[in-house]
Amino acid sequence: HRPRLIHCKEGGGTAQRYYYVQKPGQSGNKLYRYTSYSFGMKKILLVEDTVEVLENLADLLHMEGFHITGAVNGSDGLKKLDSIVPDLIITDLRMPVMDGFTFLEELKKKKELAVVPVIVFSANVTPEIEEKSLKLGAAAFLKKPINVDILIETIRTILQT
């Protein structure tokens, strides 16, 4: 089991974050502080319209050593990609404004982004949806609710970290 994240805050510099966690099986008010630095971290763009899921996954992935940029839909994700080139993109499919399929199609049009691996995750899982995601260039397809251990393993396999 993983430590349970209680609180996260930015540290003294832009590349520093403090995590306050409870260890597995621990009860009471005792918290442990971990400091994370983003220098040299692999960059992930996380596209998810449910803010709570976006924030929780971003915090967990940051604790695993990744620098996370969040976007609330495909259109927002494309805007973020104007200023960053991530090592990996993780996207939901069902989102307002621009869904994950349209987002994948738009990624393929940009040469510099066409080589960035994408993990698609969705609660809407059928063989047809998974197949369409992979045909549009997804490196992997995971179903929601997301198993964090499988997500981390998939990310590390794709990024070879």
Side-chain angles (χ1 to χ4, degrees), residues 106-161:
E106 292 298 315
L107 286 177
K108 288 175 83 172
K109 293 177 185 177
K110 299 179 181 247
K111 288 181 186 175
E112 69 278 7
L113 298 174
V115 297
V116 176
V118 179
I119 296 173
V120 170
F121 69 118
S122 181
N124 188 16
V125 181
T126 66
E128 295 80 22
I129 288 174
E130 183 173 353
E131 183 179 327
K132 183 176 180 179
S133 299
L134 296 173
K135 280 186 179 177
L136 286 172
F141 185 94
L142 301 174
K143 66 179 182 174
K144 286 182 179 178
I146 200 84
N147 177 311
V148 176
D149 291 324
I150 291 173
L151 176 62
I152 300 292
E153 181 180 320
T154 303
I155 291 169
R156 293 202 187 285
T157 298
I158 291 171
L159 295 178
Q160 297 295 309
T161 60

Side-chain angles (χ1 to χ4, degrees), residues 83-100:
S83 60
I84 65 160
V85 177
D87 298 293
L88 176 71
I89 298 170
I90 302 171
T91 185
D92 190 7
L93 289 178
R94 297 178 89 186
M95 299 178 287
V97 184
M98 180 186 288
D99 69 15

Side-chain angles (χ1 to χ4, degrees), residues 30-81:
K30 185 170 181 178
L31 299 179
Y32 295 86
R33 183 175 104 169
Y34 295 94
T35 304
S36 174
Y37 300 91
S38 62
F39 297 115
M41 298 169 88
K42 295 282 187 177
K43 296 178 292 226
I44 297 176
L45 174 65
L46 179 58
V47 186
E48 165 61 56
D49 62 315
T50 306
V51 175
E52 183 177 288
V53 173
L54 176 65
E55 289 175 349
N56 288 337
L57 274 178
D59 286 342
L60 284 167
L61 292 173
H62 194 87
M63 284 177 61
E64 290 292 327
F66 301 103
H67 178 78
I68 306 301
T69 300
V72 294
N73 58 54
S75 179
D76 186 33
L78 289 175
K79 287 177 189 163
K80 300 280 173 89
L81 290 168

Side-chain angles (χ1 to χ4, degrees), residues 3-22:
R4 187 168 72 101
L5 180 68
I6 303 298
H7 179 70
C8 174
K9 73 175 190 172
E10 295 299 321
T14 58
Q16 188 175 353
R17 245 185 212 183
Y18 299 119
Y19 293 94
Y20 298 88
V21 300
Q22 280 185 328

